[in-house]
């Protein structure tokens, strides 16, 4: 008797689970999915909490915002494959534009939001072990034979691409030749001990697994990493670095299908409010709102930033030359290994 | 045990029909999608996609570490199977049960814990790293974790054969004047060969495709520690679908060959059963 | 027919032969026993212990907290407990059908069918995930059609079930085929000759006879289903709180600087694995008893 009840219970359970699975394939319209690059987890956690409160206040609806994190390039690929993101908050222009090329975002997306769709900017800095034992202060130091650099794979990670461009630009914008820049990146990448797929993985490798001498990462990730390390790590700001511009965008195809456009647009607008900008600065992303920027200037050391366009004329050219199949990055590994 | 019972036993049509339907939808169709995707490449492009220096390095690495791990498992497996079958000792039942843990334990857990054990300040790493044995983020680590996941195969294929080994044959050999070593070499070893080979091939096949545990402990560097499954995911994340599918097809072809070999070995092994 | 890339061969054996410890020299014996303990201890026991030690490294309170006070972790547990049973159930129905067809009948293509059933074992989990992306991704006709009708397969639980079912496809079938073959069709034919309908025969004769083999296959299938990582990683989209199963959540926690939480969840998975093993040992004993029980002639 007991056995029969158990079996019946099991069958009911499995049938219920089956129904749940089938039903879960239908789109959920009362929530947003923010498809983000890897290291922004903590930032979006706080921003979402704030926005949900405001949204409930304005509309009386308790909104749910889901997050998916991964390497910027990987995430773009996922969205193209059908990951139903309403919002894209990736690491660089190329990845978001790849989604436009696939027809999911309308052209001209860059200008739909203030400041070329940039609620914040960032840059790439160094993280080193306590006391900076390898004496790393500027970009050329990275090419030294005794220095192992940790940075993610440029083909999948925004952090990876920005690191590469920062390295290259640090040479070419200060009078170095293209050949010298090539030499630096070749030396560095040949000696990278571990090439993670995304930013947070690289942070884990450097901070937790204690591999490598220098970690090239986002400014905000560096700050978080050093805080978590409680004295074991320190940040080194090089003299120059790249101006990292992580654009945000609404995925038109998804919001129009789900009917979440209004909410998504409100969410995007929220990012430019002072409240959100304060959160952004709190997490060490450089805010673009002038007032907040002035207020929080002491959090961000002065550093000369050059835009990516200094490295290659356009993003498409940059992508093609450095990161596409057979490009400069591929060449580094193809030869001499 | 007659089996040609279509006229007497019902259910052939229904059984076969459902079997084929489910098999086709869940297995054949998706695999076909992969082949179709890879077929979008011309022969030249296919070759170019699967035979890049980076891919070749990945195949070499995958093949080598899987081979080494499987060989290690043969040695370990024979020792453990022999001991479990022929000797009594305290805790034997527990040891026998523990052999199956790698089957039941999720690969992600295995990878996570192995990585944490062998880092510089891990439980085992703190002793081994100073001795020069770096397991984490090196090839050694991959081999180690593959030894773990493949461990039960040889043990479980050899055990039943060893148990069935006729005591009388051994005693007859002893009576006829063979010493222990000769008995071992001439009587026991030959009958161990088929199951050992089967176990080896099973462990080898499993290691070739292993992903979950390896990514935790490998540094996934192209040309150095990137195994073939990781390469496939990499290519996928770089938007190179067709190339990913092409490499997957190559991997599939190789695994399928292994599958056939395993089936043949099992049939050969069964000839030795009593 | 012994099981293939499947974990253990079906435990078909009679009473084990008597031990002959006196015949091997004592130094050989002790050396081998010592080696065995070292091997199993180092490979298996130490990692198992490490999982639990690291999980509880911040105390029992933190352990509890990590598991139950985090919404995303709770959801991951829920998702695994939903996706795995559904995949296992689908494969069980298939397994029974396939085993019955293969064990009871001879037909052209029988060997090919048996080999095809084994196919998913030789496919790397990553490839298993890839093929579903290739089949149902937005850029495919199937995917686009589904999207237009508001349905999502990959990056949602249905895709997780498909990938899991693929990876664990052969378990139940491979377990049942030898059991059915060993049992023979006599009882079933007897039932038919006594006037039972097909379904009566099936439920009253076939199923009860295979119940231990069925249970064995189901728990193995379930263990693998709950622990699957590679295939799920590719099809899940890693949406926190929505498509993260337990293994994926472990990886995510690890990536978020949260080792104790990662190990806490890993310890739950480990406990599930250990429970699986215990059930397996019990079932094996029952199966051995059933094999050696003399079959009664039909009354």
């Amino acid at each position: 008797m007991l056995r029969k009840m158990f079996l019946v219970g099991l069958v009911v359970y499995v049938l219920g689970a089956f129904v749940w699975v089938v039903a879960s394939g239908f789109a959920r319209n009362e929530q947003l999915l923010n498809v983000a690059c890897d290291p922004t987890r903590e930032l979006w956690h706080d921003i979402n909490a704030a926005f949900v409160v405001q949204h409930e206040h304005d509309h009386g609806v308790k909104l749910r915002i889901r997050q998916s994190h991964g390497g910027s390039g990987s995430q773009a690929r996922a969205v193209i494959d059908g990951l139903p993101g309403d919002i894209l908050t990736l690491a660089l222009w190329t990845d978001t534009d790849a989604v436009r090329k696939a027809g999911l975002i309308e052209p001209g997306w860059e200008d739909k939001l203030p400041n070329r769709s940039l609620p914040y900017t960032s840059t790439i800095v160094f993280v080193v072990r306590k006391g900076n034992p390898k004496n790393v202060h500027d970009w050329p130091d990275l090419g030294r034979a005794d220095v192992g650099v940790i940075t993610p794979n440029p083909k999948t990670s925004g952090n990876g691409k920005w690191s590469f461009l920062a390295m290259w630009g640090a040479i070419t914008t200060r009078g170095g030749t293209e050949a010298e820049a090539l030499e630096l990146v070749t030396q560095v990448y040949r000696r990278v001990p571990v090439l993670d797929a995304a930013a947070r993985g690289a942070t884990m490798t450097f901070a937790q697994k204690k591999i490598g001498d220098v970690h090239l990462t986002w400014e905000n990730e560096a700050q978080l990493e050093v805080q978590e390390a409680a004295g074991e790590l320190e940040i080194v700001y090089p003299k120059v670095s790249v101006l990292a511009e992580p654009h945000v965008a609404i995925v038109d195809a998804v919001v129009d299908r789900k009917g979440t456009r209004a909410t998504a647009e409100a969410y995007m607008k929220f990012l430019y409010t002072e409240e959100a900008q304060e959160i952004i600065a709190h997490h060490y992303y450089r805010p673009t709102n002038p007032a907040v920027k002035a207020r929080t200037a002491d959090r961000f050391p002065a550093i000369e930033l050059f835009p990516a366009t200094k490295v290659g004329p356009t993003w498409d050219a940059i992508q093609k030359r450095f990161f596409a199949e057979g490009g400069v990055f591929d060449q580094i590994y193809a030869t001499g290994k | 045990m007659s089996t040609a019972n279509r006229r007497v036993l019902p259910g052939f049509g229904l059984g076969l029909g459902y079997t084929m339907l489910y098999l086709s939808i869940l297995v054949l169709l998706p695999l076909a999608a992969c082949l179709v995707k890879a077929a979008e490449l011309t022969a030249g492009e296919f070759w170019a996609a699967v035979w890049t220096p980076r891919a070749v390095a990945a195949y070499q690495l995958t093949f080598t570490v899987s081979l080494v791990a499987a060989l290690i498992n043969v040695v370990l497996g024979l020792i453990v199977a022999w001991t479990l079958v022929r000797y009594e000792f305290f805790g034997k039942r527990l040891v026998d049960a523990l052999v199956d843990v790698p089957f039941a334990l999720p690969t992600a857990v295995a990878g996570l814990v192995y990585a944490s054990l062998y880092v510089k300040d891990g439980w085992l790493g703190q002793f081994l790293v100073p001795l020069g044995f770096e397991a984490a983020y090196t090839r050694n680590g991959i081999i180690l974790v593959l030894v773990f996941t493949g461990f039960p195969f040889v043990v479980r294929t050899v055990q039943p054969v060893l148990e069935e080994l006729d005591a009388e044959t051994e005693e007859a050999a002893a009576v006829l004047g063979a010493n222990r070593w000769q008995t071992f070499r001439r009587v026991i070893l030959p009958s161990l060969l088929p199951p050992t080979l089967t176990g080896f091939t099973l462990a080898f096949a499993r290691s070739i495709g292993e992903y979950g545990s390896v990514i935790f402990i490998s540094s996934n560097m192209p040309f150095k520690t990137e195994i073939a499954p990781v390469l496939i995911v990499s290519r996928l994340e770089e938007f190179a679908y067709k190339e990913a599918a092409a490499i997957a097809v190559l991997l599939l072809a190789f695994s399928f060959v292994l599958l056939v070999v395993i089936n043949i070995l099992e049939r050969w092994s069964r000839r030795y059963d009593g | 027919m012994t099981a293939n890339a499947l974990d253990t061969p079906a435990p078909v054996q009679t009473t084990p032969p008597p031990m002959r410890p006196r015949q091997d020299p004592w130094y050989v014996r002790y050396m081998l026993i010592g080696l065995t303990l070292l091997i199993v201890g180092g490979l298996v026991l130490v990692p198992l212990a490490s999982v639990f030690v690291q999980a509880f490294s911040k105390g029992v309170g933190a352990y509890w907290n990590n598991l139950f006070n985090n919404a995303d972790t709770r959801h991951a547990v829920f998702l695994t407990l939903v996706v795995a049973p559904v995949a296992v159930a689908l494969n069980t129905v298939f397994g029974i059908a396939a085993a019955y067809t293969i064990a009871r009948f001879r037909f052209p293509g029988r060997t090919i069918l048996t080999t095809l059933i084994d196919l998913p074992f030789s496919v790397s989990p990553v490839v298993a995930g890839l093929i579903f992306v290739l089949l149902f991704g937005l850029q495919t006709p199937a995917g686009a059609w589904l999207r237009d009708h508001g349905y999502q397969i990959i990056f949602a639980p249905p895709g997780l079930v498909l990938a899991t079912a693929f990876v664990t496809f052969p378990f139940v079938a491979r377990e049942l085929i030898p059991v059915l073959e060993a049992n023979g069709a006599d009882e079933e034919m007897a039932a038919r000759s006594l006037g039972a309908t097909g379904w009566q025969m099936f439920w009253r004769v076939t199923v009860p006879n295979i119940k231990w083999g069925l249970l064995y296959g189901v728990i193995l299938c379930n263990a693998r289903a709950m622990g699957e990582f590679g295939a799920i990683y590719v099809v899940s989209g890693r949406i926190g709180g929505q498509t993260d199963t337990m293994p994926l959540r472990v990886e995510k926690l690890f990536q978020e600087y949260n080792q104790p939480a990662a190990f806490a969840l890993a310890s739950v998975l480990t406990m599930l694995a250990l429970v699986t093993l215990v059930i397996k040992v019990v079932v094996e004993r029952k199966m051995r008893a059933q094999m050696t029980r003399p079959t009664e002639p039909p009354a």
Side-chain angles (χ1 to χ4, degrees), chain B residues 92-154:
Chain B
K92 175 169 136 151
R93 287 255 284 269
L94 179 65
V95 170
D96 194 38
L98 284 178
V99 167
D100 279 327
V101 166
F103 279 148
L105 195 69
T107 51
V109 175
L112 179 72
V113 78
Y114 262 75
S116 75
L117 279 176
Y118 288 94
V119 260
K120 243 181 296 191
D121 42 355
W123 282 14
L124 297 176
Q126 52 189 339
F127 306 117
L128 294 173
V129 172
L131 290 175
F133 181 71
E134 291 236 26
Y137 319 111
T138 62
R139 288 191 172 203
N140 295 338
I142 302 180
I143 293 178
L144 203 54
V145 101
L146 289 178
V147 166
F148 175 82
T149 51
F151 178 61
F153 286 109
V154 174

Side-chain angles (χ1 to χ4, degrees), chain C residues 168-289:
Chain C
T168 58
F169 185 78
F171 278 94
V172 178
R174 279 312 225 153
E175 236 358 271
L176 287 182
I177 292 177
V179 172
L180 274 174
E181 282 184 345
N183 274 342
D186 304 333
E187 288 190 34
E188 283 146 346
M189 292 208 283
R192 288 288 284 168
S193 65
L194 288 174
T197 65
W199 286 112
Q200 281 177 325
M201 175 205 82
F202 180 75
W203 287 110
R204 304 242 179 119
V205 180
T206 313
V207 172
N209 274 345
I210 58 171
K211 64 176 179 229
W212 294 117
L214 188 61
L215 185 58
Y216 192 81
V218 163
I219 53 166
L220 284 181
C221 188
N222 185 58
R224 180 67 199 272
M226 290 198 169
E228 179 52 38
F229 183 83
I232 302 252
Y233 188 80
V234 176
V235 298
S236 89
R238 287 162 302 197
I239 307 176
Q242 207 165 308
T243 58
D244 274 345
T245 57
M246 285 208 276
L248 248 60
R249 181 86 189 131
V250 166
E251 198 244 1
K252 193 173 264 193
L253 284 168
F254 183 70
Q255 288 237 332
E256 285 177 4
Y257 294 101
N258 206 343
Q259 277 219 350
F263 274 99
L265 198 55
S267 73
V268 174
L269 284 169
T270 308
M271 283 191 276
L272 283 171
L274 293 176
V275 165
T276 304
L277 285 181
V278 166
I279 299 180
K280 179 172 173 291
V281 167
V282 168
V283 171
E284 269 178 333
R285 215 170 292 159
K286 293 267 202 258
M287 280 175 81
R288 217 170 304 166

Side-chain angles (χ1 to χ4, degrees), chain C:
Chain C
M1 200 189 329
T2 50
N4 186 337
L6 216 208
D7 315 324
T8 45
V12 181
Q13 50 234 105
T14 51
T15 53
M19 294 291 123
R20 298 170 297 272
R22 266 166 289 136
Q23 287 200 324
D24 290 339
W26 66 270
Y27 51 87
V28 171
R29 242 189 311 139
Y30 277 104
M31 186 180 72
L32 288 183
I33 293 178
L35 275 177
T36 302
L37 289 175
L38 201 66
I39 291 169
V40 174
L43 266 188
V44 177
L45 210 54
V46 165
L48 281 183
S50 172
V51 170
F52 289 101
V53 167
Q54 300 222 40
F56 285 97
S57 61
K58 294 252 164 36
V60 181
Y63 178 83
W64 198 256
N65 235 1
N66 280 327
L67 286 180
F68 294 108
N69 283 349
N70 184 302
D72 284 354
T73 303
R74 282 200 309 263
H75 188 269
V77 175
F78 166 76
L79 194 63
T80 303
L81 291 178
V82 165
V83 166
V86 173
V88 170
L90 290 173
N91 283 338
T92 303
V93 172
F94 165 77
I96 297 176
Y100 182 79
T101 310
I102 291 177
R104 291 279 177 265
F105 304 107
R106 289 242 179 274
F107 51 91
R110 185 169 168 269
T111 329
I112 298 183
L113 182 62
T114 317
T115 313
L116 281 180
I117 292 182
D118 268 347
L119 206 50
F121 271 146
S122 59
V123 175
S124 167
V126 157
V127 177
L130 172 67
I131 57 181
F132 284 103
V133 171
L134 291 178
L135 194 56
F136 292 115
L138 189 56
Q139 307 300 313
T140 65
W145 185 89
L146 286 165
R147 274 321 215 56
D148 293 336
H149 293 79
Y151 201 75
Q152 187 99 19
I153 290 196
I154 55 170
F155 306 129
L160 302 181
V161 166
L162 285 178
T164 309
F166 180 94
V167 170
T168 58
F169 185 78
F171 278 94
V172 178
R174 279 312 225 153
E175 236 358 271
L176 287 182
I177 292 177
V179 172
L180 274 174
E181 282 184 345
N183 274 342
D186 304 333
E187 288 190 34
E188 283 146 346
M189 292 208 283
R192 288 288 284 168
S193 65
L194 288 174
T197 65
W199 286 112
Q200 281 177 325
M201 175 205 82
F202 180 75
W203 287 110
R204 304 242 179 119
V205 180
T206 313
V207 172
N209 274 345
I210 58 171
K211 64 176 179 229
W212 294 117
L214 188 61
L215 185 58
Y216 192 81
V218 163
I219 53 166
L220 284 181
C221 188
N222 185 58
R224 180 67 199 272
M226 290 198 169
E228 179 52 38
F229 183 83
I232 302 252
Y233 188 80
V234 176
V235 298
S236 89
R238 287 162 302 197
I239 307 176
Q242 207 165 308
T243 58
D244 274 345
T245 57
M246 285 208 276
L248 248 60
R249 181 86 189 131
V250 166
E251 198 244 1
K252 193 173 264 193
L253 284 168
F254 183 70
Q255 288 237 332
E256 285 177 4
Y257 294 101
N258 206 343
Q259 277 219 350
F263 274 99
L265 198 55
S267 73
V268 174
L269 284 169
T270 308
M271 283 191 276
L272 283 171
L274 293 176
V275 165
T276 304
L277 285 181
V278 166
I279 299 180
K280 179 172 173 291
V281 167
V282 168
V283 171
E284 269 178 333
R285 215 170 292 159
K286 293 267 202 258
M287 280 175 81
R288 217 170 304 166
Q290 193 179 33
M291 288 297 169
T292 53
R293 189 191 60 211
T295 49
E296 285 129 31

